[in-house]
Amino acid sequence: MSDRQKFIRNFCIVAHIDHGKSTLADRLLEATGTVAKRDLQEQLLDSMDLERERGITIKLTPTRMKYNYQGNDYILNLIDTPGHVDFTYEVSRSLAACEGAILIVDAGQGVEAQTLANVHLALDNNLEILPVINKIDLPSAEPEKVKKEIEDVIGIPAMHAPCISAKEGTNIEAVLEGIIKEFPAPRGKENAPLKCLVFDSYYDNFKGAICLVRVFDGSVKKGDKIKFMQTNNVFEVTEVGYFTPKAKESDVLLTGEVGYIAASIKKVSEARVGDTITNADNPATEALPGYKQVQPVVFSGIFPVDGSKYGELKDALEKLKLNDSALDYQPETSVALGFGFRCGFLGLLHMEIIQERLEREFNLDIITTAPGVSYHVFKTNGEMIEVSNPSNLPEQSFIDHIEEPYVNAHIFTPPEYMGSIMELCTERRGENTDVVYLDEKRVRLDYTIPLSEIIYDFFDSLKSRTRGYASLDYEMADYRPSKLVKLDILLKGEICDALSLIAHQDKAYERGKIMTEKLKEVIPRQMFEVPIQAAIGGKIIARETVKAFRKDVLAKCYGGDVTRKRKLLEKQKEGKKKMRNIGSVEVPSDAFISILKID
Amino acid sequence: MSLNKFALYVHIPFCVSKCSYCDFCSFVPKNEQVSAYLQALNAEIKAKGEFYKNYQVTSIYIGGGTPSILPKNVIFEILKNIKTNFKISGNSITIEANPNSFTLEKAQEFKEAGCNRISFGLQSHNDEILKILNRKHNFQDLVNAVNYAHKVGINDINVDFMFGVPTQDLEDVKESLNRVTNLDITHISCYGLILEPNTPLYNEVKNKELQLPSDDECVNMYDYAVDFLSKHGFFRYEISNFAKKGYESVHNKNYWARGEYLGLGLASHSFIKGVHWHNTSNFNKYLSTPLNCMENIEPETLKTAKEETIMLALRTEKGLNIQEYNKKFQSDFLKEYKNTISKLSTQNLITIKNDYIKINDFNISNAIIAEFF
């Protein structure tokens, strides 16, 4: 290892949402003089507005800090990580770029589900863990108890963990000292062929896709020919540099360093997270381990409210996709909603973020259909097809059986809510696999549960049943056979494809009933009676009726009334344009959204 | 040179009291206001007569307000002035009257002035309902008024009747219609009450002091009226208008055919050469500039012309004449509205027969007409 490498530390921060990760990051930037206090926006590293609003980090911004410790200048690279379970793979790649991880635990809340999940990810990547107890300024802080909890639950020593208040800036020096003393310097050979891990990428309008990288072996500079080892694509490097946290061009990225590479790469999908960059002329023999193609797990249809905005929606999705390789979309045609897209997401949060960005950044009014998962449908002819759109489910007679995705869910809760949570999980077809008493105040419940059951409002139900005390984490498990049926909604005898969904046989009846009741509330009276029916495989299981309105007339229409009356009717017609026509039935856009909110 | 034709409407904005549902331009006048108004109106008649000398008047309608409350001889003078300044070709002069302000003397004056049709505002036979409507007459007043009209030889008589009034029920409607059809009259206007914002009745309903009959009750009242009136020789020729054979209102039919009309007086509406406008509804403004007080001047567009044609025609019993539409707009109605027609036909909401398209249930006519917009 070169002397230069000895003074580099690459680390990240892992924490549960709200435990103070972004605040600590801000304090570190400030304490190292990377960013002057006056320039420090609240939570600087979260660059998108949406992230700041939701208090979560989606995109990772690696920042280089300089810190002089006992006479030596150190380079500290902070790689921020997203906190949400939807982005677990990205987190794992970010962790792989580091040698150490600061584990922040709230001095009042203790260890939470996500904390544990992320710590395990860090341990899997052989990272040194530096526990930090945050929020010691709070009256409810019990740092000693939390230290013990870390040792008991996670199994790492925590007696010397710095106790800090990131908010107040208390004891930040101890964290910096810990980073330097506890975390190893990056290993790696300067003379070996280039090996760079892509741990994130984003799209820049001028420079193309930018790869955020950690150099493991060798070095990379402008003009080098580089090769992506998964895709075998070759590019010429146009710029390298690092973040302070603003992008700053440099001559070269050396072994152990963290920075960015621009190489006129057209799409983010050509710069995949987890891929290894090597030198095209002098390639490494083996890629870095751990690459995985990210797969969407939650699907839903997105349609423009105004059918003529299809082109705009397409452009918007293309632009989002440039920067988000996990977003997947394909054109979809719905009888009810017209032209739109079937979109795949990493999870519900990812879906909501995309929806919000479409609405805010692109100013589009969209209709989103009920989120669903991808089913494995085994046909009677032995063929297996993946179905994520209920409309594509083959007829019952062609189906041998269907398998649905399950997840392993971990729920952390105070013991008093156990009964309520178990009830919820059972309702959602969950199977209890383990109950672990962590201490007298905390229990971990492990469940195997269908993914489709937790993508609706499981998290909200969990929070409301436990007054917000429980936390949830899950990872994909496997596919299992399930008794699933397609539930159709018929309006005046016509199937409304946008309202169809795949549901478990035991729940389809109840769901059909609730949906018809809800639709009856939101579909206005029309010129004729509108029967609303729920059907499974042609069999009607529930029915409601929206009665025809009987009176819509203005009595007199003489000379003075003509223009006024015409304008009234024009207004009436304008109102109708906001409706979707299902056959002859006019359905307000709200109807599609309203049924997402029932369970 | 052939003359254009239009109908004349003359507005008399005065009443003895204001009805609780009325949002028309009318008020209870002070004495000098009446004479000032007549001066302005007569000036307007003179000037407009000169301006529209290429027009022939096919019908005249004196409405309000309550024209019958004007002092003796005023109506006579107004009509005389009109006859002096306009070319009159038709023989249909209607005047509105309240049952209690219509004396034998008034009847004689109107007859001499040239009126041959009278429209009485009855609204209900029931004193309780009339009280809610803030109307000051009773049913016997109407019986007397109709007699006076016949005495002077005015036999073309309309009675306005209203349904859907708070506290009214189907039995009330039956009784009103029964009494009205027993009179020797030719025409009945049968309106559903419309609550106009900022009227006393609107506020009372809004404040839940009074309650409107339900939609279903109103529909039953209307359907009953249509059936009952046709059995008694009054045939519907427009949503709210029923007449004995040969007594349909010439003046109103001109509106529904989208013919031209000129309004005279405060707040009166006009439609000439494809332009809608109305005179100011500001009384003092009208008094000072009766010749120059046009407001909301709106020229038609192809779209509004089509919409109005369809809207007005579909409100009539005959419906819209498809050939006439095609000729007028150089279009093919059935093609132009193919989807709408197919949707409405499937639901049995319209009928197309012998070149006419008509609405099957007038109770939902707004919704059906809006489909064509």
Side-chain angles (χ1 to χ4, degrees):
Chain A
M1 192 189 297
S2 70
D3 277 356
R4 185 189 54 80
Q5 264 168 269
K6 276 183 198 163
F7 298 113
I8 297 176
R9 295 293 181 272
N10 297 319
F11 69 100
C12 58
I13 308 176
V14 294
H16 188 73
I17 287 178
D18 290 342
H19 280 199
K21 185 175 71 171
S22 297
T23 316
L24 175 59
D26 286 352
R27 288 294 96 74
L28 292 175
L29 293 180
E30 208 178 284
T32 55
T34 313
V35 175
K37 194 166 187 173
R38 63 173 184 279
D39 294 335
L40 195 72
Q41 275 172 282
E42 190 70 14
Q43 298 181 8
L44 197 82
L45 293 187
D46 299 350
S47 57
M48 289 198 285
D49 283 351
L50 205 59
E51 296 172 18
R52 195 164 297 136
E53 245 170 65
R54 288 176 169 244
I56 49 170
T57 314
I58 303 155
K59 280 291 167 192
L60 323 167
T61 316
T63 305
R64 179 184 287 205
M65 299 175 276
K66 280 186 192 152
Y67 186 61
N68 188 289
Y69 179 71
Q70 293 182 348
N72 293 313
D73 278 331
Y74 283 83
I75 288 176
L76 309 181
N77 289 311
L78 166 59
I79 297 171
D80 202 8
T81 56
H84 194 274
V85 62
D86 281 5
F87 304 99
T88 303
Y89 176 66
E90 266 106 332
V91 177
S92 81
R93 293 306 83 204
S94 294
L95 296 177
C98 305
E99 277 78 33
I102 296 174
L103 166 67
I104 305 183
V105 182
D106 185 306
Q109 305 265 328
V111 178
E112 302 267 357
Q114 252 174 19
T115 321
L116 203 65
N118 288 334
V119 170
H120 282 145
L121 271 175
L123 289 171
D124 288 348
N125 282 283
N126 295 319
L127 266 54
E128 283 297 323
I129 310 284
L130 170 66
V132 170
I133 316 298
N134 191 22
K135 304 197 186 180
I136 54 161
D137 55 310
L138 293 182
S140 61
E142 293 182 88
E144 291 313 310
K145 182 172 159 283
V146 171
K147 281 182 185 175
K148 186 170 181 299
E149 191 176 77
I150 293 171
E151 295 194 340
D152 292 350
V153 177
I154 307 177
I156 55 172
M159 276 312 131
H160 302 295
C163 294
I164 68 162
S165 164
K167 195 173 134 221
E168 313 258 312
T170 315
N171 219 9
I172 303 300
E173 304 296 321
V175 179
L176 287 163
E177 184 180 339
I179 290 168
I180 288 163
K181 284 167 89 172
E182 300 292 329
F183 296 159
R187 278 185 279 271
K189 303 178 199 79
E190 287 193 334
N191 299 322
L194 176 67
K195 259 190 202 179
C196 267
L197 172 70
V198 180
F199 62 84
D200 192 19
S201 59
Y202 68 89
Y203 190 78
D204 180 286
N205 282 335
F206 302 105
K207 300 174 188 168
I210 308 281
C211 303
L212 304 186
V213 298
R214 152 74 195 272
V215 183
F216 277 87
D217 284 324
S219 63
V220 58
K221 62 182 188 306
K222 185 172 169 176
D224 283 357
K225 276 208 175 120
I226 53 166
K227 186 170 96 169
F228 287 83
M229 296 184 79
Q230 290 297 334
T231 59
N232 283 320
N233 289 328
V234 174
F235 297 94
E236 190 181 309
V237 175
T238 56
E239 185 180 323
V240 297
Y242 52 87
F243 298 91
T244 67
K246 281 184 188 131
K248 191 175 175 189
E249 191 172 354
S250 67
D251 298 335
V252 63
L253 287 179
L254 298 166
T255 308
E257 291 189 334
V258 170
Y260 67 86
I261 298 176
S264 301
I265 304 165
K266 293 216 172 50
K267 288 183 254 168
V268 174
S269 55
E270 290 177 314
R272 294 183 189 164
V273 170
D275 204 347
T276 304
I277 295 175
T278 189
N279 193 301
D281 299 326
N282 178 22
T285 47
E286 230 177 282
L288 293 161
Y291 173 77
K292 205 164 78 174
Q293 172 100 41
V294 287
Q295 295 287 356
V297 293
V298 173
F299 301 84
S300 97
I302 294 185
F303 296 83
V305 168
D306 175 353
S308 67
K309 298 265 172 82
Y310 173 80
E312 285 174 45
L313 176 60
K314 184 166 180 261
D315 291 349
L317 284 168
E318 257 168 34
K319 282 189 185 133
L320 288 178
K321 170 89 182 164
L322 279 177
N323 208 2
D324 185 350
S325 57
L327 172 66
D328 186 55
Y329 65 91
Q330 287 166 20
E332 179 184 4
T333 313
S334 154
V335 179
L337 300 177
F339 294 105
F341 295 92
R342 193 80 196 160
C343 301
F345 309 97
L346 296 175
L348 268 200
L349 180 74
H350 188 211
M351 180 177 103
E352 283 170 27
I353 288 167
I354 296 293
Q355 284 168 8
E356 280 194 44
R357 292 188 67 186
L358 286 171
E359 286 177 346
R360 279 198 214 184
E361 294 170 32
F362 297 93
N363 209 13
L364 288 165
D365 284 331
I366 54 171
I367 298 174
T368 312
T369 61
V373 301
S374 181
Y375 296 95
H376 288 172
V377 179
F378 294 82
K379 294 172 45 174
T380 43
N381 64 6
E383 191 191 345
M384 189 279 274
I385 55 170
E386 286 191 38
V387 174
S388 63
N389 182 345
S391 301
N392 297 342
L393 192 70
E395 264 187 52
Q396 203 65 42
S397 57
F398 295 111
I399 299 174
D400 182 66
H401 69 284
I402 306 177
E403 290 183 355
E404 67 174 323
Y406 273 69
V407 297
N408 291 325
H410 316 287
I411 300 163
F412 285 72
T413 177
E416 60 262 39
Y417 300 115
M418 270 175 69
S420 176
I421 293 173
M422 291 175 122
E423 194 182 65
L424 173 68
C425 291
T426 308
E427 275 171 22
R428 304 299 177 96
R429 299 190 282 134
E431 206 177 286
N432 185 227
T433 52
D434 205 356
V435 178
V436 184
Y437 287 84
L438 302 170
D439 57 37
E440 69 272 23
K441 287 195 174 165
R442 300 174 52 75
V443 185
R444 190 185 83 211
L445 300 171
D446 291 345
Y447 272 87
T448 313
I449 196 164
L451 176 63
S452 66
E453 294 286 349
I454 57 172
I455 60 173
Y456 276 105
D457 64 345
F458 183 84
F459 194 58
D460 289 343
S461 300
L462 183 68
K463 286 280 174 195
S464 70
R465 281 174 190 233
T466 62
R467 293 169 50 216
Y469 278 106
S471 56
L472 165 76
D473 181 49
Y474 67 85
E475 73 265 348
M476 298 299 292
D478 49 9
Y479 272 78
R480 300 183 186 187
S482 212
K483 286 182 178 163
L484 297 161
V485 293
K486 182 168 166 236
L487 178 65
D488 290 316
I489 298 293
L490 290 82
L491 299 176
K492 209 168 186 325
E494 287 193 40
I495 290 181
C496 178
D497 60 355
L499 295 175
S500 294
L501 49 87
I502 294 170
H504 191 262
Q505 187 179 290
D506 296 347
K507 295 188 156 190
Y509 280 82
E510 183 61 19
R511 193 157 185 94
K513 198 163 158 283
I514 295 170
M515 279 174 78
T516 53
E517 282 166 7
K518 188 82 185 179
L519 285 167
K520 188 187 175 183
E521 286 169 27
V522 293
I523 294 177
R525 285 186 168 207
Q526 330 232 332
M527 290 182 282
F528 35 78
E529 190 176 279
V530 179
I532 304 167
Q533 295 164 305
I536 297 172
K539 190 180 162 226
I540 305 297
I541 55 157
R543 176 185 165 127
E544 293 286 339
T545 306
V546 178
K547 283 196 183 150
F549 59 68
R550 290 195 65 194
K551 182 168 165 263
D552 181 13
V553 59
L554 282 184
K556 57 192 169 61
C557 189
Y558 300 115
D561 309 307
V562 177
T563 49
R564 184 165 80 136
K565 189 168 166 66
R566 191 196 74 231
K567 284 170 190 170
L568 272 172
L569 293 178
E570 275 172 356
K571 217 169 161 188
Q572 191 164 339
K573 178 73 178 185
E574 276 307 304
K576 281 170 184 259
K577 278 189 188 153
K578 290 180 189 141
M579 304 275 202
R580 290 287 169 158
N581 285 306
I582 312 296
S584 53
V585 182
E586 285 162 355
V587 182
S589 304
D590 299 356
F592 299 95
I593 295 153
S594 73
I595 62 144
L596 301 185
K597 291 183 181 147
I598 50 176
D599 220 319
Chain B
M1 152 187 173
S2 77
L3 293 178
N4 300 308
K5 290 177 177 176
F6 61 20
L8 279 189
Y9 174 79
V10 182
H11 191 65
I12 307 297
F14 307 124
C15 287
V16 279
S17 63
K18 185 92 179 166
C19 300
S20 64
Y21 55 89
C22 178
D23 75 332
F24 272 27
C25 183
S26 67
F27 56 97
V28 183
K30 291 167 194 135
N31 248 343
E32 65 279 7
Q33 284 182 319
V34 175
S35 56
Y37 182 70
L38 294 171
Q39 204 182 340
L41 178 63
N42 279 320
E44 191 191 7
I45 290 170
K46 194 157 180 264
K48 294 281 168 77
E50 171 65 21
F51 190 81
Y52 291 107
K53 61 186 172 199
N54 292 333
Y55 274 83
Q56 272 188 341
V57 175
T58 49
S59 65
I60 301 171
Y61 194 103
I62 304 172
T66 315
S68 58
I69 65 159
L70 287 174
K72 196 168 154 48
N73 274 335
V74 168
I75 292 296
F76 185 87
E77 288 302 323
I78 291 173
L79 278 171
K80 192 175 138 195
N81 195 17
I82 289 174
K83 284 173 191 162
T84 312
N85 290 286
F86 287 89
K87 296 182 180 64
I88 313 292
S89 71
N91 183 33
S92 170
I93 303 178
T94 307
I95 186 161
E96 287 182 346
N98 259 3
N100 59 342
S101 58
F102 192 74
T103 58
L104 185 58
E105 203 184 16
K106 272 268 142 59
Q108 269 157 353
E109 182 201 332
F110 289 180
K111 173 72 181 174
E112 281 161 30
C115 298
N116 53 16
R117 188 171 181 272
I118 298 191
S119 177
F120 291 113
L122 171 72
Q123 317 311 351
S124 174
H125 77 281
N126 182 330
D127 290 346
E128 291 302 312
I129 290 172
L130 289 170
K131 202 172 160 194
I132 286 171
L133 298 175
N134 195 32
R135 292 185 66 88
K136 309 291 186 194
H137 57 80
N138 58 35
F139 187 75
Q140 188 54 43
D141 292 332
L142 178 69
V143 175
N144 298 341
V146 169
N147 280 334
Y148 299 146
H150 283 299
K151 258 185 195 162
V152 300
I154 300 177
N155 299 316
D156 193 356
I157 298 168
N158 169 62
V159 171
D160 284 348
F161 162 71
M162 192 178 268
F163 66 92
V165 182
T167 74
Q168 193 183 34
D169 60 18
L170 186 57
E171 291 311 308
D172 267 307
V173 170
K174 285 179 180 175
E175 179 61 20
S176 283
L177 291 172
N178 196 34
R179 291 201 194 186
V180 168
T181 49
N182 276 330
L183 299 170
D184 186 8
I185 59 172
T186 54
H187 192 285
I188 295 171
S189 294
C190 183
Y191 304 114
L193 169 69
I194 301 288
L195 285 183
E196 300 291 351
N198 303 321
T199 56
L201 193 57
Y202 174 91
N203 292 327
E204 280 171 295
V205 171
K206 201 174 137 196
N207 300 335
K208 300 197 190 317
E209 292 158 41
L210 288 171
Q211 200 187 347
L212 290 174
S214 71
D215 280 3
D216 281 354
E217 284 176 281
C218 289
V219 168
N220 291 341
M221 290 173 188
Y222 179 75
D223 288 349
Y224 175 85
V226 174
D227 181 56
F228 180 86
L229 290 173
S230 78
K231 282 177 182 153
H232 289 76
F234 294 88
F235 299 101
R236 179 174 66 187
Y237 65 106
E238 194 258 2
I239 289 187
S240 309
N241 287 276
F242 302 75
K244 285 189 174 160
K245 288 255 158 67
Y247 287 95
E248 297 169 355
S249 164
V250 175
H251 188 82
N252 290 339
K253 277 169 77 176
N254 179 62
Y255 291 139
W256 304 327
R258 209 162 171 267
E260 294 182 303
Y261 49 93
L262 175 67
L264 299 165
L266 184 69
S268 61
H269 286 250
S270 303
F271 176 60
I272 294 175
K273 294 209 181 301
V275 182
H276 287 282
W277 77 87
H278 63 79
N279 281 350
T280 181
S281 47
N282 179 319
F283 189 69
N284 290 327
K285 194 171 171 194
Y286 179 75
L287 292 188
S288 59
T289 56
L291 312 183
N292 185 20
C293 61
M294 292 160 82
E295 289 179 359
N296 292 328
I297 302 166
E298 291 181 35
E300 69 182 5
T301 63
L302 182 62
K303 182 173 178 281
T304 60
K306 282 180 174 177
E307 285 175 355
E308 284 175 15
T309 303
I310 294 170
M311 171 182 87
L312 294 167
L314 287 184
R315 290 172 57 89
T316 64
E317 189 69 29
K318 272 190 175 169
L320 175 78
N321 185 311
I322 294 168
Q323 292 300 338
E324 279 175 21
Y325 178 95
N326 291 348
K327 210 175 137 195
K328 195 166 170 186
F329 295 111
Q330 293 295 301
S331 176
D332 183 342
F333 183 82
L334 296 178
K335 252 191 205 163
E336 191 177 352
Y337 297 99
K338 191 168 166 253
N339 292 340
T340 305
I341 290 168
S342 131
K343 175 180 170 184
L344 295 172
S345 304
T346 318
Q347 306 303 331
N348 201 25
L349 295 166
I350 51 167
T351 302
I352 297 178
K353 209 170 134 188
N354 302 335
D355 264 351
Y356 279 89
I357 170 169
K358 59 169 290 190
I359 286 176
N360 292 344
D361 181 1
F362 279 133
N363 283 301
I364 57 168
S365 54
N366 274 2
I368 294 171
I369 293 166
E371 290 287 320
F372 290 92
F373 276 37

